[in-house]
Amino acid sequence: MYRGDGYEFVELRAYVPGDDVRRIDWAATARAATLQSRVVLEDVALTLASVIDGSPSMRVGRRRPLSAAAAEAVATWYGAALPDDRCIDVRAGTITPASLQRSRHAVAAGASEPAASFECVRTLETAFSALPRGTALLAIGDWFDLPSEGDALLQRLGARFDCTALVARDPWFEELPLRGLVRLRGAEGGFVRTYIGRRERQAYARAVREREVQLLERFTRANWRTGPLYEADGARSLREAFGLVARETLA
């Protein structure tokens, strides 16, 4: 609930220019000899929305796809909704004003159809235009396609909505289990042959940690609640972002 034109009384306070004159308490004003306003709570429906990266890079993992962890986080997200809350599921980067009406009261948290790519900037811009102010927005992805110039968009979203971002942790964050001459295939690219030794494994470990830290910092600076998406437990990932459980530390 928000403070506004409702019926549940909260408190009396001094009148501030711009207050609704209908909320002036004249009895309290007479006692205090200064204008006093009644503050009340306004009942409004909370809008929950989610933006989920459905691209091939989210279908990789050591024991299961990152998309499975994302589905757990989404189920936890919408599981917090009350019967009158409006929920919007934005799968694989598609959201339109018409979808806001179709998904008014409930959202299935099952697996979505994979997308060929995730155009995160266009998806977030559409969310900014289509969703009502104050929406609780959950965005999950690996954010490989988030350009540096996207920070201004993140800040606009962070100012308009209650935003939470989960950054998919690299499946080989702990260790790259490859040695010698190997043939690699990118989740969204072609094949490459390369040699991987101790130096390469150490460089990879540094790179994935630095990338995750930088992404989390970008979202935090833009007024987003954020945290990693762990392959093993998407529900815990979401609770951790909200500070409900202790955050894992980088090794």
Side-chain angles (χ1 to χ4, degrees):
M1 290 192 293
Y2 300 95
R3 295 184 179 212
D5 293 331
Y7 299 98
E8 185 176 338
F9 174 74
V10 178
E11 63 182 358
L12 283 170
R13 62 162 172 76
Y15 175 84
V16 175
D19 283 353
D20 188 338
V21 294
R22 294 173 297 177
R23 296 300 175 190
I24 295 176
D25 188 309
W26 295 108
T29 295
R31 291 193 299 270
T34 58
L35 287 175
Q36 299 292 307
S37 290
R38 295 171 58 86
V39 178
V40 296
L41 287 179
E42 177 182 3
D43 257 337
V44 295
L46 173 65
T47 298
L48 298 176
S50 62
V51 173
I52 312 300
D53 181 352
S55 61
S57 59
M58 289 293 289
R59 302 201 298 274
V60 300
R62 299 196 69 167
R63 294 176 177 82
R64 64 173 186 161
L66 285 164
S67 58
E72 289 177 352
V74 171
T76 303
W77 179 252
Y78 290 120
L82 297 174
D84 290 335
D85 290 337
R86 180 170 55 178
C87 302
I88 302 154
D89 194 15
V90 187
R91 298 289 180 161
T94 303
I95 178 172
T96 65
S99 70
L100 306 189
Q101 299 301 321
R102 291 197 303 270
S103 307
R104 187 168 182 80
H105 289 298
V107 175
S112 60
E113 290 297 320
S117 63
F118 177 59
E119 299 182 17
C120 61
V121 170
R122 188 176 70 173
T123 302
L124 293 175
E125 286 176 341
T126 306
F128 181 85
S129 301
L131 294 170
R133 182 179 294 274
T135 291
L137 174 65
L138 171 65
I140 304 176
D142 54 33
W143 305 108
F144 282 116
D145 298 325
L146 181 64
S148 57
E149 58 269 24
D151 287 3
L153 173 59
L154 295 181
Q155 290 170 1
R156 286 163 50 211
L157 287 158
R160 184 178 181 86
F161 308 130
D162 179 7
C163 295
T164 302
L166 295 182
V167 177
R169 173 162 286 185
D170 190 287
W172 292 272
F173 181 89
E174 300 298 336
E175 180 185 15
L176 184 63
L178 298 173
R179 289 173 174 79
L181 186 62
V182 297
R183 186 168 183 255
L184 303 176
R185 180 176 66 87
E188 300 182 31
F191 289 90
V192 61
R193 291 177 65 87
T194 187
Y195 177 81
I196 298 178
R198 180 180 178 183
R199 180 182 301 174
E200 287 74 20
R201 290 195 299 275
Q202 291 175 340
Y204 185 88
R206 286 195 302 270
V208 295
R209 281 162 170 74
E210 289 172 0
R211 178 181 180 275
E212 181 176 294
V213 168
Q214 290 170 1
L215 275 170
L216 295 176
E217 289 177 347
R218 288 175 68 185
F219 280 107
T220 300
R221 286 196 300 269
N223 197 36
W224 288 57
R225 182 186 301 104
T226 189
L229 173 71
Y230 303 118
E231 175 189 320
D233 195 337
R236 177 189 170 85
S237 303
L238 184 61
R239 291 194 295 268
E240 187 179 288
F242 275 82
L244 300 178
V245 294
R247 174 163 295 189
E248 293 186 12
T249 58
L250 295 178

